Amino acid sequence: MTAKDVAVLIMSIILHDIGMHTEFATFVALLDGHYDAHKTCLDSKTWLELWEDYLAEAKRFSSQQRRNIFGNEFQPYNEPDLTNKDNLTGYDKKLIGEFIRRHHSRLAHE
C-alpha cells in the first residue's frame, strides 16, 4: 500500500462521515424537501418519508435499542418538536442523531 493509497482511504472515510455533521436548520430543510432534487435512482424515498418511517419504528424500539440510543431502556417515545431548535431536549437530539447516523451514507453521497 502506497502513501497515495492511504491518503485516498483517509479522504474517503472523512467524506463518508461528514454526513454525520448536520446543523438543525439543514436537518429541517432536508425534511422540508429542499434536498429531494439530489435524490438518486438508488433512493426511492424522500427524506420526509424516511423520517416518518423512522418515527414509526422509534415508537416500537426494543429495550435494548432505547438503552443503546438514549442510555435508558425505559425512555418513552416522544415525537420531537422541530419548530425551534431551542425546544429540542436531549432525547430529541439523540433521536435525530440516530436517524442521521442511519442515513449518513446517503447524506454524504448526495
Side-chain angles (χ1 to χ4, degrees):
M1 196 175 233
T2 68
K4 283 185 178 182
D5 294 335
V6 172
V8 168
L9 182 60
I10 290 170
M11 290 304 297
S12 66
I13 291 168
I14 290 170
L15 288 173
H16 173 80
D17 286 342
I18 207 162
M20 295 287 284
H21 301 282
T22 305
E23 291 187 4
F24 179 73
T26 304
F27 176 71
V28 171
L30 200 67
L31 299 182
D32 285 344
H34 294 202
Y35 297 97
D36 287 342
H38 301 287
K39 219 171 40 161
T40 67
C41 62
L42 300 174
D43 306 310
S44 61
K45 292 188 176 186
T46 66
W47 284 104
L48 182 58
E49 290 170 329
L50 289 172
W51 176 246
E52 289 169 347
D53 290 349
Y54 172 71
L55 291 180
E57 180 188 348
K59 293 175 185 175
R60 301 181 313 274
F61 278 162
S62 68
S63 296
Q64 182 67 40
Q65 286 173 302
R66 287 193 302 273
R67 186 173 30 254
N68 290 342
I69 297 167
F70 308 112
N72 177 358
E73 67 184 273
F74 302 107
Q75 176 65 51
Y77 171 81
N78 294 308
E79 189 163 334
D81 177 5
L82 301 179
T83 59
N84 184 336
K85 75 176 184 176
D86 294 332
N87 295 339
L88 295 177
T89 65
Y91 165 85
D92 297 334
K93 292 174 185 176
K94 289 178 181 180
L95 187 70
I96 293 168
E98 176 62 13
F99 175 79
I100 291 170
R101 184 195 69 76
R102 289 182 180 197
H103 298 289
H104 78 279
S105 58
R106 178 176 168 177
L107 280 168
H109 176 75
E110 290 180 4

